[in-house]
Amino acid sequence: MTKKKSSKTKKKVVHEEEKRKKKTHKKSRKKIRTSKKNTKNSSRKKKISKKKKNYLLFDILLSIGLTLVILLSVFFFFFKIQSVPNNSMEPVVYKEEKILVNKKDETFNRFDIVLYSQSNDIKIGRIIGLPGESIRYIDDYLYVNDLPMDEKFIVDQVNAAQIKGELFTEPENGDTSLQINEIPKDSYFILGDNRPNATDSRFFGFVEEKKINGVVSAKLLPIKRMDKY
């Protein structure tokens, strides 16, 4: 009897142990499935997050690109980059140097450097006389409406010419003085700083306002000679 009870007890213990193992195994399998599911979800979330980052980066780059296009369009609406067409303005700017020209500036002042058209050519020079003014050069000194004007930008050249006994601003006809009684309306008297070698208003007369293409704002290249006017 005792042996039978002992055998039953053992069977019961074994049965309980097997049940416990099965439960543990089920829990373990459930944990593995849950872990795999969590891994898949995590991977999916990472992919979604990566896509969102890519879309965000694309939006940022697109915004930057559109902004640059708009800024450049506005810039080139008002300005243009031009090569200096001749040596009329040496040594301020030399032929083939790159300059920035304000195309929309329609307020022209004395001593502005401008680009203008003359006989289908593009020229560069400095505005000396404005509409309605009288201009005289006597011994290389400028008088506007009989008042002396200081041309600081050619002082060294004028002094060098005077030492040699020469005129730096020679009239086209070879006289010792240059005289303009009155500049017509909407016209300008323009000279190059490189007076001995410039072809300017001394030779072809006044420049009409409509032929002025823009005011030179800056010299861009070469970089070592970059300057603002």
Side-chain angles (χ1 to χ4, degrees), residues 140-141 154-165 168:
D140 272 334
Y141 291 101
I154 56 170
V155 168
D156 293 339
Q157 294 93 315
V158 169
N159 290 338
Q162 287 181 344
I163 290 171
K164 295 177 184 178
F168 186 67

Side-chain angles (χ1 to χ4, degrees), residues 21 55 67 75 79 88 105 118 133 135 139 143 153 168 190 200 211 215 221:
K21 284 183 178 180
Y55 284 133
T67 302
F75 176 83
F79 297 94
S88 292
D105 190 347
Q118 179 63 37
E133 294 181 338
I135 299 291
D139 296 327
Y143 294 85
F153 42 86
F168 186 67
I190 297 177
D200 47 36
K211 291 185 177 181
V215 177
L221 294 173

Side-chain angles (χ1 to χ4, degrees), residues 40-54:
K40 285 182 180 178
N41 289 337
S42 176
S43 178
R44 193 178 293 112
K45 285 179 181 179
K46 283 182 179 179
K47 286 181 179 178
I48 292 171
S49 177
K50 190 174 181 181
K51 282 184 179 180
K52 283 183 178 180
K53 285 181 180 178
N54 288 339

